[in-house]
Amino acid sequence: IELRDDKQIMLEAVKNNPAAFEFCSETLWNDRDIVLATLEKKPLYLYLVNELFQSENPDVVIHAIENCNQKDLWEMYEDVSDELWRNRDVALAWLKKGGDWLGEDFDDDFQDDEALLLTVAKENWSEFENASARLRSNKEFMLKAIGADARVISDVEDELRHDYDLALLAFSQDRRALHFYSSEEDFEFMVSFASTVRRKIAEYDTFTKVVVYNIVDRQKKRNASCTLSLLNQGPETARCHLDMISSYLGLPSEAELAMLCKASANLLYWGF
């Protein structure tokens, strides 16, 4: 009995073999150091930790979830105190491990929590449908979500379904985005979208291969100055001014061009 109540002895015991937790005294069953050491080695031993201790120490439960193998999540689900699923940090830890959306257990407000739903988009995109309508109709938020996984475009609200920026981001990342455009209206949008993507690429090519190339080539071959004095200030400065001119003309930036080219290739894969 004295050994079971000796913290140092039992702490070493659970570190070596977490099963020793069952032989601790009742007092040590509620000792943070003992519990943490046990769950560090064997997260699924959370079932041995009473609900009162869990409720008073949610960080211990979070630690167990973080150290649990994804395949064992549902086994652990049964052992988490019911009230803790309404704790945002516990929910976040669960979602970061790729856990499903626990609609009956989570607080209703979680559906409108940007950080939680961005985690869902990144770790388990098929559960993104649980995002609130407010979030799914927020363009800035949806850009972040699609950036995490392009397939969440399947759950965008109707008013953003044919948004050019969202479609460009989605198709520049994943050709499977097309799976979520299946109606007649979607087809018309895809035809128009593909045409816009190719037009922007062509306009950029025309500017760089015709205008820029000829200016630079003329300067090199003839050692002549450009009538636009701002282009006679060295290659780096000239490049900066040319970028400003292209931006003024509404041409894509280099970052957008990269997205356009990837989107074009992914659209071509499907025949668009």
Side-chain angles (χ1 to χ4, degrees):
I1 295 177
E2 291 181 359
L3 289 178
R4 294 176 59 227
D5 203 37
D6 187 307
K7 178 175 177 177
Q8 292 307 314
I9 291 176
M10 296 310 297
L11 184 58
E12 288 303 314
V14 298
K15 285 181 178 179
N16 290 320
N17 185 353
F21 182 77
E22 294 189 71
F23 300 99
C24 290
S25 66
E26 261 188 69
T27 300
L28 293 185
W29 280 344
N30 293 290
D31 183 276
R32 278 181 57 86
D33 295 331
I34 296 288
V35 174
L36 281 169
T38 301
L39 298 179
E40 180 73 32
K41 288 281 189 177
K42 191 75 172 178
L44 289 178
Y45 276 7
L46 184 65
Y47 79 92
L48 295 172
V49 181
N50 66 72
E51 290 195 0
L52 178 60
F53 182 90
Q54 289 188 34
S55 298
E56 294 176 346
N57 300 272
D59 61 304
V60 172
V61 177
I62 291 170
H63 185 70
I65 293 173
E66 290 174 342
N67 284 282
C68 181
N69 290 324
Q70 188 178 35
K71 64 182 180 63
D72 297 324
L73 277 179
W74 280 112
E75 185 176 346
M76 176 167 285
Y77 165 78
E78 300 291 341
D79 303 321
V80 175
S81 174
D82 291 343
E83 68 178 73
L84 282 182
W85 290 121
R86 303 180 77 82
N87 180 302
R88 183 183 180 279
D89 293 330
V90 172
L92 182 59
W94 172 265
L95 295 172
K96 281 183 175 180
K97 294 294 290 188
D100 291 347
W101 188 267
L102 305 177
E104 295 183 1
D105 301 301
F106 285 169
D107 192 284
D108 290 341
D109 291 342
F110 289 175
Q111 291 181 294
D112 205 41
D113 188 305
E114 291 193 17
L116 292 181
L117 271 302
L118 285 177
T119 299
V120 171
K122 180 180 179 181
E123 304 295 344
N124 193 358
W125 75 273
S126 63
E127 294 289 301
F128 190 76
E129 63 185 4
N130 293 286
S132 68
R134 184 190 72 83
L135 290 182
R136 289 184 285 111
S137 62
N138 182 314
K139 181 174 178 176
E140 293 306 312
F141 172 76
M142 287 305 303
L143 283 169
K144 295 177 185 177
I146 292 170
D149 192 310
R151 290 171 292 181
V152 301
I153 200 169
S154 61
D155 295 306
V156 72
E157 285 291 286
D158 288 344
E159 61 262 37
L160 292 179
R161 183 166 182 78
H162 294 159
D163 181 89
Y164 169 81
D165 295 321
L166 296 184
L168 176 60
L169 180 57
F171 278 94
S172 69
Q173 292 190 152
D174 195 331
R175 66 174 60 141
R176 291 173 296 181
L178 187 74
H179 294 167
F180 311 110
Y181 290 88
S182 56
S183 70
E184 184 176 339
E185 288 184 356
D186 288 338
F187 179 80
E188 293 176 0
F189 168 72
M190 292 308 303
V191 171
S192 174
F193 173 64
S195 175
T196 300
V197 166
R198 306 265 161 60
R199 174 178 56 79
K200 285 178 172 285
I201 294 174
E203 289 174 348
Y204 182 90
D205 285 345
T206 299
F207 178 75
T208 55
K209 293 179 180 178
V210 178
V211 179
V212 177
Y213 174 80
N214 279 291
I215 289 174
V216 174
D217 187 59
R218 182 175 181 276
Q219 290 175 331
K220 286 181 178 179
K221 290 183 176 179
R222 305 180 188 179
N223 196 26
S225 296
C226 179
T227 53
L228 292 174
S229 59
L230 55 79
L231 298 179
N232 297 319
Q233 302 171 22
E236 292 185 5
T237 304
R239 180 73 258 179
C240 180
H241 287 310
L242 285 168
D243 287 343
M244 292 173 63
I245 293 172
S246 66
S247 176
Y248 174 76
L249 293 174
L251 299 176
S253 64
E254 290 188 8
E256 184 184 352
L257 180 66
M259 293 173 63
L260 288 165
C261 291
K262 290 177 182 177
S264 178
N266 285 332
L267 288 164
L268 186 61
Y269 178 87
W270 297 112
F272 284 99

